[in-house]
Each structure stands twice: as structure tokens, then as C-alpha cells.
Amino acid sequence: MMNMEGTIELFESLRTELINDYDATKGSIFGHKGLKVQGKVFMFYNEPNIVVKLNPADVEAALKLTDAKNFDPMGGKPMREWVEIPYGDNQQWFNFSLKGMAYVKSLIK
């Protein structure tokens, strides 16, 4: 089991990679550090997890991950498109971040 302390560093390195190599930009939502694509947030950090906006099929896949859950900022009103994903490995965060970025881009008219 990985020590969950220090996932902010993992998030920061993922964020840097997505900004440098993809068309993500820094953004924030609910006071959390996040990433935007074309001005819309698609992913943010909610210690020690990331929260990603996903299409219904990817939501279903993400919710099968251990300890993943719909993001519920108010308690009792989970946001169905936003999934809170624990750190499993770099690839897990990276893959779902790319899926989130693609989904949010597809919603922009």
C-alpha cells in the first residue's frame, strides 16, 4: 500500500506533463488546483485523490477502481460526471485525465 502523503507532488508532475505535452492549462475549481482545456475544468486535485469529469462509459469504468467514487462536495448530492480517483499508479491518473480532457473538449461547441 502506497503512503498517501505526497500525492500533491504526483498531481503536480501530472499537471506539468499535461500542460507541456497536451493542450491543458492551469485552472482551479472549488478552490482546488486543477486543469482546464479550452477554458473548462476537466480535472482537479482533492487530497489525496484527483477528480475527473468523464463520459458515462468512463464513469462506469472508473467507479470499478478500488475506492473510486462520485465526487460529492456537499454530501448527499454526488456529481455523476465527476469521479474521485485514488492514486493507483501514474498510468491510472494519466489515462483518466486524458479521457476527461477529451470528454470536456467534446462538449465545447
Side-chain angles (χ1 to χ4, degrees):
M1 179 66 192
M2 194 195 132
N3 179 0
M4 293 320 275
E5 296 296 310
T7 60
I8 185 67
E9 284 86 359
L10 298 164
F11 168 77
E12 293 288 3
S13 77
L14 174 63
R15 186 156 84 151
T16 300
E17 183 177 0
L18 292 172
I19 289 169
N20 291 343
D21 300 344
Y22 297 87
D23 47 4
T25 55
K26 282 187 179 180
S28 66
I29 184 171
F30 305 122
H32 298 277
K33 293 179 174 189
L35 280 172
K36 292 178 174 179
V37 62
Q38 294 172 16
K40 303 280 185 197
V41 174
F42 66 89
M43 182 267 264
F44 62 92
Y45 183 69
N46 187 35
E47 192 175 11
N49 305 321
I50 61 166
V51 181
V52 187
K53 185 170 184 169
L54 297 167
N55 71 36
D58 290 334
V59 165
E60 205 173 311
L63 289 174
K64 292 186 172 123
L65 298 169
T66 306
D67 296 330
K69 58 184 183 286
N70 283 106
F71 181 59
D72 189 0
M74 301 303 176
K77 284 193 179 157
M79 297 167 71
R80 60 192 167 86
E81 290 189 314
W82 291 89
V83 181
E84 191 155 350
I85 300 175
Y87 184 80
D89 56 61
N90 283 319
Q91 212 52 45
Q92 183 164 290
W93 274 14
F94 180 75
N95 290 346
F96 278 104
S97 295
L98 287 188
K99 288 174 194 284
M101 191 179 343
Y103 176 55
V104 169
K105 266 170 99 166
S106 78
L107 299 175
I108 296 167
K109 297 286 176 269

